[in-house]
Amino acid sequence: MVMVKLLLTPENQLQRLNHLLHAVETLKEKDTTTLNHRPNENAWNVLEVLEHLSIAYAMYDKKIETALNQLHTSNEEPWAFRPRFWNRFVIEGQRPKGNKRPFKMKTLKKFEPQLEKELTPAAVENVFENFQKSYSKLKASILVSRNKEMNHKRITSAIGPIVKFHLPEAFEFLICHAERHKIQIDEILSSHKG
Amino acid sequence: MDTAQHTILKNLFKGISLSDAEEKSFIELWKACCFKQNELITEAGRMEKYFYVVLEGVQAIYLINQKGEKVVLGFSYVGSPSGVFDSFLYQKPADTFLEALRPSRMLAISRDDYLNLFDNHPSFHTWAHGFFKEILFGRLSREVELLTLSAEERYIAFMQRCPDELKGIPQKYLASYLNMTPETFSRLRRSILY
C-alpha cells in the first residue's frame, strides 16, 4: 500500500513544486476572459483558485520561517521523513489520485478568496504575483531545510491543533493541496473550451 | 583561469585546434562556479542552463522514483563533463537532479555559447562525434553490466575502474548506482577484495 511506504524527501517536493510553478507561469498567457471564466455561477474561476492557494500558504508562512530559524545547520545528508499514521492520513486526503480529487470538501471561510467578480488585467497580474511569491518562498524554505537537522517542535496546521505537522509534512501538505487545485484549474479550463 | 584549469579544459576538448586569439575567446566563454556540499546544481523540473566541466569535487545525477527514493544514474568528478545534457540540449525541464556530493568547483558554458562553438569552428563537430560516442558506449557497457552481472561482479567491475575520489562518497549513492541495497554494498565492501 502506497501510504505505508510514503517517504518524503525535499528533492521530490522540489521537483513537484517546479512543475507547479512552471504550470502556473504558462497560465499567464491565457486571456482575461478565460481566467475569469466560471464553470457555473457558484464555482471559482482560475484566479480565485490561485488566490486560495496564496491564502493557504500565508497561513503557514511565518510558522515555517520560525521553525526553520530554530533548527541547527547540518552537514549530513538532507532529511528523508516518513509521516506517522494520522498525519499521513491528512496528507493523503489532499493528494490527488491521478486526475481525480478524492474527498471533496467545502472551503472554510478563512480560506475563501475575496476577489471581485471580474478582474482587471492589473488585478490579474497581482494574483499571479502573489502566487509566485508565495510558492517561490515555499521552495526557498525547502531548499534551506535540506541543510538543517529536522528535530523541532511540530507546528500547528491551519486546520487547527487537531493536526500538528513536522516541517516535511507541512511542505508536503501544501504541495498536495496545490496539486489538487491544479487539477481543478485544468477542469475549469476544459469546461471553458467545451 | 589558471594552468591546471586550462589543462582540464584542453583535455576534455582534445583534438580541437584553435589559434591563440580563438583560444583566448574560447576560454572567456567559461565561468567558474562553486557549489557547497549537498547543494543542488540542477533541479528536476527546471531547465539546465549550462554544460559543466568539473575542476573539483564529486557530483551525482539522480532521479526520484515513485517511492520517493533517489536512483543514481551516474557521477561526475575532476576532469569530467557534467550537467543534465538532455535538458541542456533540448531545453525541456530536467527529469533528474544534479547534486554536489562534495564541495565542488566547475567551469560552466551557456547553451548559446556552446552552440555557437559549432557554428564558428567546424572542428567541434568532430569533437562532439567522439564525445557522444564515448558517452553512448559507456552507457551501453553499464547497461550490459546491470543486465548480466551478479551484484558481486558489478561491485568488482565498478571498484576496479572507479577513481579513488568516488570511493569516499556516501555508500548509498554507490549502492544505488550499482542497483543494490546499501546493506548488500556494505557486505561486499567488507568481504571482497578487488
Side-chain angles (χ1 to χ4, degrees), chain B residues 15-116:
Chain B
I16 301 273
S17 58
L18 298 171
S19 70
D20 288 352
E22 285 169 340
E23 182 151 334
K24 190 169 173 284
S25 52
F26 172 66
I27 286 171
E28 280 169 359
L29 301 176
W30 297 82
K31 68 168 190 171
C33 335
C34 289
F35 300 95
K36 293 187 210 121
Q37 181 157 327
N38 297 339
E39 190 171 342
L40 294 173
I41 300 165
T42 309
E43 293 169 15
R46 303 267 299 167
M47 224 67 92
E48 175 64 276
K49 292 191 193 134
Y50 301 105
F51 176 103
Y52 295 97
V53 177
V54 184
L55 300 175
E56 194 182 307
V58 178
Q59 304 78 34
I61 189 162
Y62 59 82
L63 52 85
I64 307 293
N65 70 12
Q66 287 188 328
K67 290 184 207 160
E69 303 155 340
K70 289 178 186 174
V71 178
V72 177
L73 303 177
F75 301 101
S76 49
Y77 41 85
V78 180
S80 65
S82 190
V84 183
F85 296 153
D86 54 346
S87 170
F88 177 77
L89 290 174
Y90 296 132
Q91 285 298 281
K92 61 174 184 107
D95 296 322
T96 52
F97 286 89
L98 180 66
E99 177 174 341
L101 297 183
R102 292 276 174 262
S104 300
R105 282 190 311 123
M106 297 158 95
L107 292 173
I109 186 168
S110 73
R111 187 169 181 273
D112 283 350
D113 287 343
Y114 173 87
L115 293 178
N116 281 338

Side-chain angles (χ1 to χ4, degrees), chain A residues 5-7 9-12 14-16 18-19 22 74-78 82 139 143 146-147, chain B residues 37-40 43-46 62 64-65 67-70 93-95 97 99 170 172-173:
Chain A
K5 287 179 181 163
L6 181 67
L7 176 72
T9 63
E11 293 80 21
N12 175 282
L14 288 166
Q15 180 168 3
R16 285 151 61 210
N18 282 336
H19 283 301
H22 181 72
S74 153
N75 293 320
E76 300 296 311
E77 273 192 61
R82 280 184 204 280
K139 190 182 148 183
L143 280 169
R146 291 180 79 247
N147 297 314
Chain B
Q37 181 157 327
N38 297 339
E39 190 171 342
L40 294 173
E43 293 169 15
R46 303 267 299 167
Y62 59 82
I64 307 293
N65 70 12
K67 290 184 207 160
E69 303 155 340
K70 289 178 186 174
D95 296 322
F97 286 89
E99 177 174 341
K172 71 169 203 183
Y173 286 92

Side-chain angles (χ1 to χ4, degrees), chain A residues 11-147:
Chain A
E11 293 80 21
N12 175 282
Q13 295 178 339
L14 288 166
Q15 180 168 3
R16 285 151 61 210
L17 255 184
N18 282 336
H19 283 301
L20 269 169
L21 284 162
H22 181 72
V24 172
E25 194 63 34
T26 59
L27 288 177
K28 279 187 185 170
E29 292 153 20
K30 307 269 179 210
D31 58 62
T32 324
T33 324
T34 309
L35 294 171
N36 278 310
H37 163 78
R38 301 169 194 284
N40 65 59
E41 207 180 307
N42 299 319
W44 287 350
N45 60 29
V46 170
L47 298 164
E48 282 164 334
V49 177
L50 291 178
E51 188 67 8
H52 164 70
L53 291 175
S54 299
I55 294 170
Y57 170 76
M59 304 270 177
Y60 289 89
D61 181 57
K62 283 284 163 292
K63 290 178 186 174
I64 290 174
E65 204 175 311
T66 312
L68 270 182
N69 284 337
Q70 288 165 354
L71 295 178
H72 293 294
T73 304
S74 153
N75 293 320
E76 300 296 311
E77 273 192 61
W79 54 266
F81 193 91
R82 280 184 204 280
R84 300 188 63 177
F85 181 78
W86 173 236
N87 284 2
R88 202 161 65 216
F89 176 76
V90 173
I91 291 168
E92 289 305 316
Q94 284 298 321
R95 192 189 305 280
K97 309 285 178 276
N99 281 329
K100 297 273 179 307
R101 294 180 284 144
F103 311 114
K104 285 203 184 178
M105 51 198 105
K106 179 102 183 75
T107 309
L108 292 173
K109 195 105 188 107
K110 64 174 175 176
F111 296 109
E112 287 269 5
Q114 304 292 329
L115 297 177
E116 299 293 325
K117 277 276 172 202
E118 291 279 325
L119 290 192
T120 62
V124 168
E125 210 179 301
N126 202 24
V127 170
F128 278 109
E129 213 171 285
N130 256 342
F131 176 88
Q132 294 287 354
K133 221 168 109 186
S134 304
Y135 285 81
S136 298
K137 192 162 172 207
L138 176 61
K139 190 182 148 183
S141 298
I142 297 174
L143 280 169
V144 169
S145 79
R146 291 180 79 247
N147 297 314

